[in-house]
């Protein structure tokens, strides 16, 4: 394994939270801490992606986004990484397959907000994700109903763990997924960019007052 890859040992349960983090904010931090608590995770890795194939707009530089993420997420249980760029993977399924090979015995849990579950069926090889990696879904404002009635949720309904058994997710064999509610936070990367507090260079458009 490369020296710059995160360390993990067999039997650890590690949550993986992917995204552009353009920029990272309090909502990401809140979701991560709730995921650790609700799903009984040992650690969480943030996977800062080079770019999202589903989006035409490309994000700020990796360096800027990783630096911002590390400033926001100050918790020894969380590691901010650029794993996808290091591995050269483009899609989530490719990344998860590569990590499973690199870390035999480690129990990974793919984490996502409910907004992502609503359009999971648009992801490359999304069936592979659901059938090979346990998935932890956390509520997002306005997406509770649409997430739980989405194509992915309906197709894999019989593999859904009840919320009161959420801490069993990381020890469950895939397919397995769990939806949990949590206190809502309204923050979004999109709104931060619209407000001019973040640009492609990772700098605000004007000096802070």
């Amino acid at each position: 394994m490369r020296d710059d890859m995160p360390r993990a040992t067999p039997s650890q349960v590690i949550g993986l939270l992917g995204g552009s983090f353009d920029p990272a904010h309090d909502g990401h931090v809140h979701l991560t801490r709730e995921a650790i608590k609700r799903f009984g995770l040992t650690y969480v890795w943030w996977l800062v992606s080079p770019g999202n194939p589903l989006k035409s707009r490309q994000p700020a530089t990796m360096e800027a986004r990783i630096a911002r993420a590390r400033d926001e997420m100050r918790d020894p249980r969380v590691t901010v990484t650029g794993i996808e760029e290091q591995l050269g993977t483009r899609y989530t399924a490719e990344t998860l397959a590569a990590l499973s090979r690199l870390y035999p015995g480690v129990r990974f849990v793919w984490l996502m907000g409910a907004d992502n579950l609503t359009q999971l069926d648009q992801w490359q090889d999304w069936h592979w994700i659901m059938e090979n990696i346990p998935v932890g879904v956390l509520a997002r404002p306005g997406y509770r109903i649409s997430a739980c009635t989405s194509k992915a949720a309906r197709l894999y309904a019989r593999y859904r763990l009840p919320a009161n058994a959420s801490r069993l997710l990381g020890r469950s064999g895939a397919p397995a997924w769990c939806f949990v509610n949590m206190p809502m936070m309204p923050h979004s990367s999109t709104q931060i960019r619209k407000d001019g507090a973040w640009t492609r260079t990772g700098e605000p458009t004007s000096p802070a007052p």
Side-chain angles (χ1 to χ4, degrees):
M1 187 184 304
R2 291 167 47 161
D3 290 339
D4 54 354
M5 297 289 280
R7 299 291 178 182
T9 59
S11 81
Q12 287 181 335
V13 181
I14 296 180
L16 302 172
L17 182 65
S20 60
F21 295 96
D22 188 33
H25 53 73
D26 287 349
H28 294 121
V29 174
H30 177 61
L31 184 147
T32 299
R33 289 182 172 149
E34 286 293 319
I36 291 172
K37 178 173 65 177
R38 302 299 182 91
F39 299 127
L41 307 175
T42 313
Y43 298 106
V44 169
W45 296 350
W46 282 11
L47 311 184
V48 181
S49 64
N52 186 336
L54 296 180
K55 295 182 179 180
S56 57
R57 177 193 174 277
Q58 291 308 301
T61 65
M62 284 286 289
E63 293 78 8
R65 289 181 287 131
I66 287 175
R68 164 71 178 241
R70 288 174 175 163
D71 283 342
E72 289 286 330
M73 187 73 257
R74 297 180 178 273
D75 189 312
R77 298 169 297 177
V78 182
T79 300
V80 177
T81 79
I83 281 177
E84 286 187 310
E85 185 175 63
Q86 293 167 303
L87 295 175
T89 53
R90 177 175 172 81
Y91 297 103
T92 297
E94 293 177 326
T95 301
L96 295 177
L99 290 176
S100 297
R101 291 191 299 268
L102 285 170
Y103 295 91
V106 173
R107 294 178 173 270
F108 289 114
V109 174
W110 179 249
L111 303 173
M112 65 169 66
D115 51 326
N116 279 320
L117 184 61
T118 63
Q119 45 95 48
L120 182 63
D121 60 293
Q122 299 175 36
W123 292 21
Q124 181 83 8
D125 295 327
W126 68 278
H127 288 284
W128 187 95
I129 297 172
M130 291 295 293
E131 292 169 11
N132 288 273
I133 306 291
V135 176
V137 184
L138 296 110
R140 291 276 291 148
Y143 287 96
R144 283 190 179 101
I145 295 175
S146 58
C148 291
T149 58
S150 65
K151 181 176 180 178
R154 287 184 282 109
L155 188 61
Y156 290 93
R158 65 190 176 115
Y159 300 109
R160 179 179 176 181
L161 293 178
N164 61 10
S166 61
R167 292 182 66 85
L168 301 177
L169 182 64
R171 302 293 177 182
S172 300
W177 66 284
C178 185
F179 179 97
V180 296
N181 286 306
M182 66 177 191
M184 297 287 100
M185 294 189 72
H187 303 87
S188 77
S189 298
T190 300
Q191 190 59 53
I192 292 172
R193 294 194 302 269
K194 285 182 178 179
D195 292 342
W198 182 258
T199 66
R200 282 185 54 79
T201 63
E203 298 294 335
T205 54
S206 58

